[in-house]
Amino acid sequence: MQLEIYAVLLISAFVILSAIGCLLTRDNFYSALYMAITLVGVAALYALMDLQEIFILITFIFVGAIGIVTVSLAAVYKFAPSRQLSKAWIIPSAITAILLSYVFFRGLSSVEIGKLSIQQLEFNYILLFSALISLMVLLMLSVLSISRGGTSD
Amino acid sequence: MIDVVTILVTSVSVLMIAYLMAISSKDLIRLLISLELMFASVFLALLPLFSIENLIDESLGIAVITIFTSSSELLVLIATIVKLDRIKEDITTYSITAGGESV
């Protein structure tokens, strides 16, 4: 149990550090790589809580598909590396993060994560999956239509 | 057993980093990366929802909807970046105009 708490702390620190790396790096390609690492860290937290279904969805769809496309885009559109950090917004962002963290720190404690079994799922979720996959296919067809010079109608 | 505070503080930190990145971005790739970080923060904020035993199925439903809709949104933004590059041959945020005004 103690080990699990330390693992959560370690992965959380890893997620925050890679997100900071994403912000501070000058090259978009490395920024996209740090972003993929951050997403893997988030998925790892789900795996640690034994929520394997969500871990697979995040890893396959978010990291595997969207993340890799972003990395490819960043590799293709190369810019002269420049610092993209607005110094004026650092302090307000930090203050907001600290205030919200303080609110969470005062009001919450540890909880037990329940076990999820895909076999217990009802039919509604299969319908939900089908509807969402249809949504993605429709969106892609619209995008294809627009990129070929047509309209979105 | 997990420490909810650790998860939520991580979520807020990633969200603020993503906001800062979106505000500072000079090109659309950086904006896309910041949006993906925002969604990573949303996934982290969802994690404590699985601690409520009666809502585990509903939590899975919310997680699935979030994953699919955010992926669709990001795919559309990726297509927009490619299209903008074809039209303007530039993907800096300065090249985006709305109603004659530069954004």
Side-chain angles (χ1 to χ4, degrees):
Chain A
M1 196 62 71
Q2 198 69 18
L3 191 69
E4 203 174 45
I5 290 171
Y6 284 131
V8 169
L9 274 174
L10 192 71
I11 296 173
S12 300
F14 182 72
V15 165
I16 293 174
L17 284 177
S18 53
I20 290 172
C22 205
L23 174 72
L24 292 182
T25 185
R26 289 164 185 256
D27 196 327
N28 279 343
F29 177 68
Y30 291 109
S31 184
L33 283 180
Y34 278 122
M35 181 270 302
I37 294 169
T38 309
L39 285 169
V40 169
V42 172
L45 279 172
Y46 274 93
L48 195 69
M49 299 302 128
D50 209 17
L51 297 166
Q52 310 295 346
E53 294 81 2
I54 309 290
F55 168 75
I56 289 170
L57 277 176
I58 292 179
T59 313
F60 280 12
I61 297 180
F62 235 81
V63 184
I66 308 291
I68 296 302
V69 171
T70 309
V71 171
S72 317
L73 263 185
V76 170
Y77 292 107
K78 276 278 184 186
F79 289 98
S82 63
R83 176 80 70 202
Q84 296 193 28
L85 177 62
S86 171
K87 286 178 184 163
W89 284 98
I90 294 176
I91 294 170
S93 304
I95 289 172
T96 313
I98 290 166
L99 276 177
L100 283 171
S101 302
Y102 178 68
V103 170
F104 291 140
F105 188 73
R106 283 196 62 180
L108 295 169
S109 59
S110 298
V111 291
E112 187 80 42
I113 292 289
K115 299 284 176 208
L116 187 68
S117 170
I118 206 88
Q119 290 165 344
Q120 293 169 357
L121 297 181
E122 293 170 12
F123 174 73
N124 289 342
Y125 287 109
I126 308 297
L127 189 66
L128 181 68
F129 269 99
S130 316
L132 289 168
I133 289 169
S134 309
L135 166 80
M136 290 189 85
V137 171
L138 276 174
L139 275 171
M140 285 302 97
L141 286 175
S142 308
V143 168
L144 270 177
S145 164
I146 293 169
S147 63
R148 282 182 180 172
T151 61
S152 57
D153 299 333
Chain B
M1 196 74 123
I2 59 157
D3 191 9
V4 181
V5 178
T6 310
I7 302 287
L8 290 180
V9 167
T10 309
S11 171
V12 163
S13 307
V14 173
L15 186 67
M16 284 304 142
I17 290 167
Y19 279 160
L20 187 55
M21 205 168 156
I23 291 167
S24 315
S25 65
K26 290 175 186 164
D27 58 72
L28 291 179
I29 305 277
R30 202 52 86 108
L31 196 65
L32 175 70
I33 293 168
S34 70
L35 267 177
E36 292 194 31
L37 278 183
M38 285 179 206
F39 286 124
S41 152
V42 170
F43 293 139
L44 276 175
L46 266 180
L47 190 50
L49 200 63
F50 286 89
S51 63
I52 304 167
E53 201 159 334
N54 294 334
L55 290 179
I56 288 183
D57 278 1
E58 285 76 6
S59 309
L60 177 68
I62 293 169
V64 169
I65 290 173
T66 312
I67 290 168
F68 274 83
T69 47
S70 56
S71 302
S72 306
E73 191 180 325
L74 292 170
L75 283 174
V76 170
L77 181 58
I78 289 167
T80 310
I81 292 173
V82 174
K83 186 73 181 172
L84 187 77
D85 180 55
R86 277 193 201 168
I87 296 170
K88 301 246 181 187
E89 293 181 352
D90 185 15
I91 56 163
T92 56
T93 49
Y94 306 110
S95 67
I96 305 166
T97 54
E101 294 290 331
S102 292
V103 177

